[in-house]
Amino acid sequence: MGSPPPKTKLGDTVPKVAGDISVGEDLEFQRKWWRFEQIVWMLFLAVIVADLLGLFGRGWLAKAEKHTSDDALTLHYERIERTSTPSIMTLDFGPAAIHEGRVQVFVSNSIVKELGARRISPQPQASTIGDNGITYTFPATGGKMMISISLMPELPAENNFEVRVAGSTAIRGHVYVMP
């Protein structure tokens, strides 16, 4: 039991050209659409290149190096980091950092708290907690020395920090932590 046949013949209202359906075109709209697609593809390309260069972390643009004027301390770090992603901050000490057979370095609270310092290697001989950070003391055996601080930031933010060797100027910097 189907529906009864229509009483009037249905007509085809779509125009035809040579027996085929004529769809029509709007060249002005098509040109705007093509331009929009080009812009979107350029944006995709720009994001990919920025990522490869390290603008979103882990690349050439993300790496930073600072040093004191007397070369007592050279600091290597990533200025762009990702939340919950480990990174390493490396401190290279020159001969000017050694006083009485030891190196004392101050790191601000932002390195310990906001940037999530997890481990320092080698282990310090002593550490002293102050108002704005921690001072670590390391035995120094010779000319150059290096320590590494393992970081893992928990929250996205811009974090300013300070690292200072006893008897030298401070190194200040900032790290952008992205989600």
Side-chain angles (χ1 to χ4, degrees), residues 134-147:
I134 300 176
T135 301
Y136 296 105
T137 304
F138 298 90
T141 56
K144 287 202 165 206
M145 183 180 155
M146 179 185 87
I147 66 167

Side-chain angles (χ1 to χ4, degrees), residues 103-118:
V103 171
Q104 285 188 316
V105 61
F106 168 84
V107 296
S108 63
N109 278 335
S110 59
I111 292 175
V112 177
K113 293 179 181 175
E114 285 85 6
L115 294 176
R118 300 282 189 242

Side-chain angles (χ1 to χ4, degrees), residues 51-87:
D51 185 44
L52 290 174
L53 290 175
L55 190 61
F56 304 118
R58 301 285 169 140
W60 176 72
L61 291 174
K63 293 180 181 167
E65 178 181 309
K66 292 188 175 197
H67 58 88
T68 58
S69 58
D70 60 356
D71 287 328
L73 174 63
T74 301
L75 179 66
H76 304 272
Y77 67 100
E78 292 183 31
R79 68 176 74 119
I80 302 169
E81 294 193 22
R82 303 295 294 218
T83 303
S84 300
T85 302
S87 68

Side-chain angles (χ1 to χ4, degrees), residues 28-68:
E28 184 60 30
F29 172 78
Q30 199 65 31
R31 284 188 189 98
K32 289 178 183 177
W33 184 257
W34 289 334
R35 183 70 183 143
F36 172 75
E37 283 182 340
Q38 287 176 335
I39 292 169
V40 169
W41 280 110
M42 290 299 195
L43 287 173
F44 285 159
L45 180 63
V47 167
I48 290 170
V49 169
D51 185 44
L52 290 174
L53 290 175
L55 190 61
F56 304 118
R58 301 285 169 140
W60 176 72
L61 291 174
K63 293 180 181 167
E65 178 181 309
K66 292 188 175 197
H67 58 88
T68 58

